Amino acid sequence: MPTRLFLTSGNVLADRRYDFARDLLLRGDSAAAAELLEQAVELESGFASAWFTLGEIREDQLGDRAGAIAAYQHARAADPQDRHGARLRLSRLGAADLDPMSPAYVGALFDQYAPRFEKSLVGDLGYRGPALLLEAIQDAARTLGRPARFARALDLGCGTGLAGRAFAPIVDEIIGFDLSAQMIERCRATRLYTRLVVTDLVAGLAGEPPASANLILAADVLVYMRDVGPMLREVARVLMPGSLFAFTAETHDGDGVVLTEGLRFAQSGAYLKGEIADVGLSVALLDNASARNEHDRPLPGLVVVATKS
């Protein structure tokens, strides 16, 4: 996983206590680490990284739910961009509504993740999202009686270009969008993309002309979206008639959208079908398929292909 985000307090003594606390935590002394972090936030009450780490220790090691909530609330207040994702932790603890992820949090997460992304995701977690999408697109194309060949594709959340590599044999041009500048730089090195843009996905789609793409991909993207409606509306606008939108999602047995223990969003199949229908697209394929593992087990997932009439 990514290296830990650190936002300096601007106070050398407070930062030093944070560093010592991290060392103690690595040695397994959670109580002493928490005490040092408490000293750090006494020195600098707006020290977001110290508050957030203190929340993690209280939640995960010390079993102090109320203390964790208080620390995450301080972390959230100290960093309005919420680059640590404190609000997600509060949501998981039932202390905040299930709101969208902060774009700054997602961008920071993947900027840190970028150097180890492929080793961690593919090597350690068995990620197979692009392969699932390629197979699903080929199956849907056969069912629809159309060739699995595409002139212009958009890769939403392109990351390091894994989907671009998988789809290069069947697309003439591919454009990538991602919130992380570090991911985009690694994607650029593939030399497969005509254009790469650091952007929020909805904003990136909004900048594309109507009916200008005949394939849109979103591999392991919906896990970071609380509400897929705005993206789907732009997808429907940008797709040409007869074109395809393919994506993977994590799922669950209940209704609607939930926040998982892994701090990702999981959508039910019924919710996704409803959202797809609401924007005038039709489901051509929806299969149970896991795009990655967690704790050495496949996560419940879906692969979906939608089409525009």
Side-chain angles (χ1 to χ4, degrees), residues 31 34 38 63 65 104 119 122 234 244 290 305:
E38 288 164 2
R65 180 178 178 276
K119 178 185 181 301
V122 179
E234 288 299 327
L244 304 178
S290 175
V305 181

Side-chain angles (χ1 to χ4, degrees), residues 113-170:
Y113 204 177
R116 299 175 54 204
F117 177 76
E118 292 192 22
K119 178 185 181 301
S120 178
L121 194 62
V122 179
D124 300 339
L125 301 177
Y127 178 61
R128 46 203 171 266
L132 289 175
L133 289 184
L134 180 60
E135 183 179 357
I137 285 287
Q138 291 170 332
D139 288 348
R142 281 193 293 270
T143 300
L144 295 168
R146 59 152 295 165
R149 183 80 204 180
F150 304 92
R152 189 170 187 268
L154 304 181
D155 183 6
L156 308 182
C158 60
T160 57
L162 293 173
R165 291 173 218 170
F167 279 82
I170 64 170

Side-chain angles (χ1 to χ4, degrees), residues 168-191:
I170 64 170
V171 299
D172 298 329
E173 176 186 28
I174 188 163
I175 294 160
F177 300 143
D178 204 286
L179 266 173
S180 167
Q182 294 298 319
M183 288 290 197
I184 286 286
E185 285 308 304
R186 282 159 176 78
C187 192
R188 199 180 309 280
T190 67
R191 298 178 177 268

Side-chain angles (χ1 to χ4, degrees), residues 5-294:
L5 174 66
F6 174 71
L7 305 175
T8 179
S9 69
N11 181 318
V12 172
L13 293 177
D15 285 0
R16 191 170 295 163
R17 279 170 171 75
Y18 176 90
D19 290 338
F20 289 158
R22 290 290 302 151
D23 289 342
L24 286 169
L25 189 59
L26 291 172
R27 293 179 205 160
D29 195 345
S30 302
E35 184 176 342
L36 271 175
L37 290 167
E38 288 164 2
Q39 293 174 18
V41 297
E42 283 179 9
L43 288 168
E44 289 294 337
S45 61
F47 193 175
S49 292
W51 279 119
F52 183 80
T53 305
L54 180 58
E56 288 183 304
I57 294 171
R58 288 173 174 174
E59 179 186 4
D60 300 333
Q61 274 88 40
L62 303 181
D64 180 5
R65 180 178 178 276
I69 289 171
Y72 291 140
Q73 287 171 336
H74 281 292
R76 179 70 181 88
D79 178 25
Q81 295 183 70
D82 195 21
R83 284 166 284 183
H84 289 287
R87 190 169 184 87
L88 280 177
R89 298 292 186 129
L90 290 167
S91 295
R92 189 172 67 179
L93 289 168
D97 293 336
L98 192 61
D99 289 338
M101 290 186 188
S102 156
Y105 162 72
V106 179
L109 179 71
F110 282 97
D111 278 347
Q112 296 164 82
Y113 204 177
R116 299 175 54 204
F117 177 76
E118 292 192 22
K119 178 185 181 301
S120 178
L121 194 62
V122 179
D124 300 339
L125 301 177
Y127 178 61
R128 46 203 171 266
L132 289 175
L133 289 184
L134 180 60
E135 183 179 357
I137 285 287
Q138 291 170 332
D139 288 348
R142 281 193 293 270
T143 300
L144 295 168
R146 59 152 295 165
R149 183 80 204 180
F150 304 92
R152 189 170 187 268
L154 304 181
D155 183 6
L156 308 182
C158 60
T160 57
L162 293 173
R165 291 173 218 170
F167 279 82
I170 64 170
V171 299
D172 298 329
E173 176 186 28
I174 188 163
I175 294 160
F177 300 143
D178 204 286
L179 266 173
S180 167
Q182 294 298 319
M183 288 290 197
I184 286 286
E185 285 308 304
R186 282 159 176 78
C187 192
R188 199 180 309 280
T190 67
R191 298 178 177 268
L192 294 172
Y193 289 75
T194 307
R195 179 162 51 94
L196 289 164
V197 186
V198 180
T199 181
D200 169 83
L201 302 186
V202 175
L205 284 164
E208 295 297 305
S212 60
N214 52 12
L215 176 65
I216 299 179
L217 306 169
D220 206 37
V221 166
L222 272 67
V223 294
Y224 302 103
M225 306 187 81
R226 166 65 182 86
D227 179 7
V228 302
M231 180 191 70
L232 287 174
R233 285 192 289 274
E234 288 299 327
V235 164
R237 184 186 65 83
V238 172
L239 278 177
M240 300 175 187
S243 298
L244 304 178
F245 171 48
F247 62 89
T248 60
E250 289 181 21
T251 194
H252 63 105
D253 293 332
D255 298 322
V257 182
V258 301
L259 183 66
T260 70
E261 282 300 305
L263 296 173
R264 294 182 296 273
F265 293 121
Q267 295 96 3
S268 71
Y271 166 81
L272 291 172
K273 287 179 182 178
E275 293 292 315
I276 289 167
D278 283 349
V279 299
L281 301 178
S282 302
V283 174
L285 180 150
L286 189 152
D287 286 339
N288 291 305
S290 175
R292 57 179 288 177
N293 303 330
E294 192 165 272

